[in-house]
Short mmCIF file of all heavy atoms in Angstrom, two decimals:
data_model
loop_
_atom_site.label_atom_id
_atom_site.label_comp_id
_atom_site.label_asym_id
_atom_site.label_seq_id
_atom_site.Cartn_x
_atom_site.Cartn_y
_atom_site.Cartn_z
N GLN A 1 18.15 -14.81 -4.24
CA GLN A 1 18.08 -14.21 -5.60
C GLN A 1 17.02 -13.09 -5.61
O GLN A 1 16.15 -13.01 -4.83
CB GLN A 1 17.65 -15.30 -6.52
CG GLN A 1 16.39 -15.93 -6.32
CD GLN A 1 16.32 -17.41 -6.84
OE1 GLN A 1 17.36 -18.03 -6.88
NE2 GLN A 1 15.17 -17.84 -7.15
N PRO A 2 17.19 -12.19 -6.66
CA PRO A 2 16.31 -11.04 -6.75
C PRO A 2 14.84 -11.56 -6.94
O PRO A 2 14.64 -12.68 -7.34
CB PRO A 2 16.76 -10.38 -8.02
CG PRO A 2 18.11 -10.77 -8.19
CD PRO A 2 18.32 -12.17 -7.61
N LEU A 3 13.85 -10.76 -6.47
CA LEU A 3 12.44 -11.15 -6.45
C LEU A 3 11.75 -10.75 -7.72
O LEU A 3 11.70 -9.54 -8.07
CB LEU A 3 11.78 -10.53 -5.24
CG LEU A 3 12.36 -10.81 -3.86
CD1 LEU A 3 11.64 -10.06 -2.77
CD2 LEU A 3 12.27 -12.29 -3.57
N GLN A 4 11.10 -11.69 -8.35
CA GLN A 4 10.23 -11.47 -9.54
C GLN A 4 8.82 -11.33 -8.98
O GLN A 4 7.93 -10.83 -9.70
CB GLN A 4 10.32 -12.59 -10.54
CG GLN A 4 11.71 -12.78 -11.11
CD GLN A 4 12.15 -11.74 -12.08
OE1 GLN A 4 11.33 -10.94 -12.60
NE2 GLN A 4 13.40 -11.70 -12.42
N ASN A 5 8.56 -11.81 -7.81
CA ASN A 5 7.21 -11.87 -7.22
C ASN A 5 7.45 -11.76 -5.75
O ASN A 5 8.45 -12.21 -5.18
CB ASN A 5 6.45 -13.19 -7.43
CG ASN A 5 6.45 -13.61 -8.91
OD1 ASN A 5 5.67 -13.10 -9.74
ND2 ASN A 5 7.32 -14.49 -9.23
N PHE A 6 6.44 -11.22 -5.01
CA PHE A 6 6.51 -11.30 -3.56
C PHE A 6 5.07 -11.12 -3.03
O PHE A 6 4.15 -10.65 -3.73
CB PHE A 6 7.39 -10.21 -2.96
CG PHE A 6 6.98 -8.81 -3.10
CD1 PHE A 6 6.00 -8.24 -2.32
CD2 PHE A 6 7.45 -7.97 -4.11
CE1 PHE A 6 5.51 -6.92 -2.44
CE2 PHE A 6 6.99 -6.71 -4.25
CZ PHE A 6 6.03 -6.17 -3.48
N THR A 7 4.95 -11.49 -1.76
CA THR A 7 3.75 -11.18 -0.93
C THR A 7 4.27 -10.81 0.44
O THR A 7 5.04 -11.48 1.00
CB THR A 7 2.78 -12.37 -0.81
OG1 THR A 7 2.42 -12.89 -2.04
CG2 THR A 7 1.51 -12.01 -0.10
N VAL A 8 3.74 -9.67 0.92
CA VAL A 8 4.02 -9.25 2.26
C VAL A 8 2.74 -9.16 3.06
O VAL A 8 1.75 -8.59 2.51
CB VAL A 8 4.88 -7.95 2.34
CG1 VAL A 8 4.15 -6.78 1.66
CG2 VAL A 8 5.25 -7.56 3.78
N CYS A 9 2.63 -9.71 4.32
CA CYS A 9 1.50 -9.61 5.13
C CYS A 9 1.94 -9.19 6.52
O CYS A 9 2.97 -9.55 6.99
CB CYS A 9 0.77 -11.02 5.22
SG CYS A 9 0.15 -11.63 3.69
N LEU A 10 1.05 -8.44 7.14
CA LEU A 10 1.19 -8.09 8.56
C LEU A 10 -0.09 -7.54 9.15
O LEU A 10 -1.05 -7.21 8.44
CB LEU A 10 2.26 -7.04 8.68
CG LEU A 10 2.14 -5.71 7.97
CD1 LEU A 10 1.25 -4.74 8.66
CD2 LEU A 10 3.54 -5.06 7.89
N ARG A 11 -0.08 -7.61 10.48
CA ARG A 11 -1.22 -6.98 11.24
C ARG A 11 -0.77 -5.76 11.97
O ARG A 11 0.35 -5.79 12.61
CB ARG A 11 -1.67 -8.02 12.29
CG ARG A 11 -2.95 -8.67 12.02
CD ARG A 11 -3.31 -9.73 13.05
NE ARG A 11 -3.23 -11.08 12.51
CZ ARG A 11 -4.14 -11.59 11.85
NH1 ARG A 11 -5.29 -10.97 11.65
NH2 ARG A 11 -4.04 -12.81 11.33
N SER A 12 -1.59 -4.68 11.98
CA SER A 12 -1.18 -3.50 12.73
C SER A 12 -2.40 -3.00 13.54
O SER A 12 -3.54 -3.23 13.22
CB SER A 12 -0.70 -2.36 11.77
OG SER A 12 -1.75 -1.92 11.00
N TYR A 13 -2.03 -2.34 14.68
CA TYR A 13 -3.00 -1.84 15.58
C TYR A 13 -2.48 -0.49 16.12
O TYR A 13 -1.50 -0.38 16.79
CB TYR A 13 -3.10 -2.82 16.74
CG TYR A 13 -4.33 -2.57 17.67
CD1 TYR A 13 -5.51 -2.10 17.22
CD2 TYR A 13 -4.23 -2.94 19.03
CE1 TYR A 13 -6.58 -1.95 18.11
CE2 TYR A 13 -5.20 -2.79 19.90
CZ TYR A 13 -6.42 -2.28 19.47
OH TYR A 13 -7.48 -2.10 20.31
N THR A 14 -3.17 0.62 15.62
CA THR A 14 -2.64 1.88 15.98
C THR A 14 -3.81 2.96 15.91
O THR A 14 -4.82 2.73 15.27
CB THR A 14 -1.54 2.34 14.92
OG1 THR A 14 -1.04 3.67 15.24
CG2 THR A 14 -2.05 2.39 13.47
N ASP A 15 -3.64 4.03 16.66
CA ASP A 15 -4.57 5.16 16.46
C ASP A 15 -3.90 6.33 15.75
O ASP A 15 -4.46 7.45 15.76
CB ASP A 15 -5.10 5.53 17.85
CG ASP A 15 -4.05 5.99 18.82
OD1 ASP A 15 -2.85 6.03 18.40
OD2 ASP A 15 -4.35 6.21 19.99
N LEU A 16 -2.87 6.10 15.10
CA LEU A 16 -2.15 7.18 14.30
C LEU A 16 -3.06 7.65 13.15
O LEU A 16 -3.78 6.84 12.43
CB LEU A 16 -0.91 6.69 13.66
CG LEU A 16 0.29 6.42 14.56
CD1 LEU A 16 1.48 5.89 13.73
CD2 LEU A 16 0.77 7.67 15.31
N THR A 17 -3.11 8.94 12.93
CA THR A 17 -3.79 9.49 11.69
C THR A 17 -2.78 10.16 10.79
O THR A 17 -3.11 10.37 9.63
CB THR A 17 -4.81 10.53 12.11
OG1 THR A 17 -4.17 11.56 12.91
CG2 THR A 17 -5.97 9.93 12.91
N ARG A 18 -1.51 10.38 11.27
CA ARG A 18 -0.54 10.86 10.42
C ARG A 18 0.09 9.74 9.52
O ARG A 18 -0.11 8.57 9.82
CB ARG A 18 0.57 11.61 11.23
CG ARG A 18 1.30 10.65 12.15
CD ARG A 18 2.57 11.33 12.72
NE ARG A 18 3.21 10.53 13.72
CZ ARG A 18 3.90 9.34 13.46
NH1 ARG A 18 3.97 8.89 12.20
NH2 ARG A 18 4.39 8.69 14.44
N PRO A 19 0.89 10.08 8.43
CA PRO A 19 1.53 9.09 7.66
C PRO A 19 2.44 8.21 8.46
O PRO A 19 3.12 8.71 9.40
CB PRO A 19 2.37 9.89 6.65
CG PRO A 19 1.77 11.25 6.66
CD PRO A 19 1.16 11.47 8.03
N HIS A 20 2.44 6.88 8.19
CA HIS A 20 3.34 5.95 8.82
C HIS A 20 3.76 4.82 7.95
O HIS A 20 2.95 4.32 7.14
CB HIS A 20 2.88 5.53 10.21
CG HIS A 20 1.58 4.87 10.22
ND1 HIS A 20 0.33 5.58 10.22
CD2 HIS A 20 1.18 3.60 10.18
CE1 HIS A 20 -0.73 4.76 10.20
NE2 HIS A 20 -0.16 3.56 10.14
N SER A 21 4.92 4.27 8.21
CA SER A 21 5.47 3.15 7.43
C SER A 21 5.20 1.87 8.22
O SER A 21 5.39 1.81 9.45
CB SER A 21 6.98 3.34 7.31
OG SER A 21 7.60 2.17 6.74
N LEU A 22 4.81 0.87 7.49
CA LEU A 22 4.57 -0.47 8.10
C LEU A 22 5.67 -1.43 7.79
O LEU A 22 6.09 -2.18 8.67
CB LEU A 22 3.21 -1.03 7.61
CG LEU A 22 2.03 -0.23 8.03
CD1 LEU A 22 0.80 -0.51 7.23
CD2 LEU A 22 1.68 -0.49 9.56
N PHE A 23 6.12 -1.47 6.52
CA PHE A 23 7.19 -2.40 6.11
C PHE A 23 8.06 -1.74 5.11
O PHE A 23 7.57 -1.19 4.12
CB PHE A 23 6.57 -3.66 5.52
CG PHE A 23 7.51 -4.68 4.99
CD1 PHE A 23 8.01 -5.68 5.79
CD2 PHE A 23 7.85 -4.68 3.64
CE1 PHE A 23 8.92 -6.59 5.30
CE2 PHE A 23 8.79 -5.61 3.15
CZ PHE A 23 9.28 -6.58 3.97
N SER A 24 9.36 -1.73 5.39
CA SER A 24 10.29 -0.97 4.47
C SER A 24 11.46 -1.94 4.17
O SER A 24 12.17 -2.44 5.00
CB SER A 24 10.85 0.23 5.22
OG SER A 24 11.89 0.84 4.50
N TYR A 25 11.55 -2.13 2.80
CA TYR A 25 12.62 -2.97 2.23
C TYR A 25 13.44 -2.13 1.24
O TYR A 25 12.92 -1.70 0.25
CB TYR A 25 11.88 -4.17 1.55
CG TYR A 25 12.72 -5.14 0.82
CD1 TYR A 25 12.71 -6.48 1.11
CD2 TYR A 25 13.51 -4.85 -0.36
CE1 TYR A 25 13.41 -7.49 0.42
CE2 TYR A 25 14.17 -5.82 -1.09
CZ TYR A 25 14.17 -7.07 -0.72
OH TYR A 25 14.82 -8.06 -1.40
N ALA A 26 14.71 -1.86 1.62
CA ALA A 26 15.52 -0.95 0.84
C ALA A 26 16.74 -1.70 0.34
O ALA A 26 17.29 -2.56 1.02
CB ALA A 26 15.94 0.24 1.61
N THR A 27 17.20 -1.28 -0.90
CA THR A 27 18.46 -1.74 -1.35
C THR A 27 19.37 -0.48 -1.58
O THR A 27 18.88 0.63 -1.47
CB THR A 27 18.37 -2.45 -2.71
OG1 THR A 27 17.69 -1.55 -3.66
CG2 THR A 27 17.53 -3.69 -2.65
N LYS A 28 20.61 -0.65 -1.83
CA LYS A 28 21.49 0.45 -1.98
C LYS A 28 21.12 1.27 -3.22
O LYS A 28 21.23 2.51 -3.23
CB LYS A 28 22.97 0.02 -2.07
CG LYS A 28 23.52 -0.52 -0.74
CD LYS A 28 25.00 -0.66 -0.77
CE LYS A 28 25.51 -0.95 0.69
NZ LYS A 28 25.55 -2.42 1.01
N ALA A 29 20.50 0.62 -4.21
CA ALA A 29 20.14 1.31 -5.40
C ALA A 29 18.71 2.02 -5.25
O ALA A 29 18.46 3.04 -5.94
CB ALA A 29 20.03 0.30 -6.60
N GLN A 30 17.89 1.49 -4.37
CA GLN A 30 16.50 2.02 -4.34
C GLN A 30 15.92 1.94 -2.84
O GLN A 30 15.82 0.79 -2.33
CB GLN A 30 15.63 1.15 -5.26
CG GLN A 30 14.14 1.47 -5.22
CD GLN A 30 13.83 2.90 -5.45
OE1 GLN A 30 13.48 3.60 -4.50
NE2 GLN A 30 13.95 3.42 -6.68
N ASP A 31 15.73 3.08 -2.24
CA ASP A 31 15.29 3.07 -0.86
C ASP A 31 13.82 2.54 -0.69
O ASP A 31 13.49 2.02 0.36
CB ASP A 31 15.44 4.41 -0.23
CG ASP A 31 14.75 5.55 -0.95
OD1 ASP A 31 14.26 5.32 -2.01
OD2 ASP A 31 14.60 6.64 -0.37
N ASN A 32 12.97 2.76 -1.69
CA ASN A 32 11.62 2.19 -1.59
C ASN A 32 11.47 0.94 -2.57
O ASN A 32 10.57 0.94 -3.40
CB ASN A 32 10.54 3.30 -1.90
CG ASN A 32 10.55 4.40 -0.89
OD1 ASN A 32 10.95 4.19 0.29
ND2 ASN A 32 10.17 5.54 -1.28
#
């Protein structure tokens, strides 16, 4: 069912300084 609440957790390890995506959840109606 559609989400009224959520929590997303993760660990990352990177030396990037440019923009980057960690977690991406898209629907057909809304990419972000």
Side-chain angles (χ1 to χ4, degrees):
Q1 58 208 30
L3 301 176
Q4 302 284 347
N5 309 281
F6 68 80
T7 305
V8 60
C9 295
L10 56 79
R11 254 177 247 279
S12 68
Y13 190 33
T14 180
D15 57 8
L16 288 177
T17 54
R18 63 165 174 75
H20 55 277
S21 172
L22 292 162
F23 176 87
S24 172
Y25 175 120
T27 58
K28 291 194 169 90
Q30 175 52 256
D31 56 348
N32 294 335

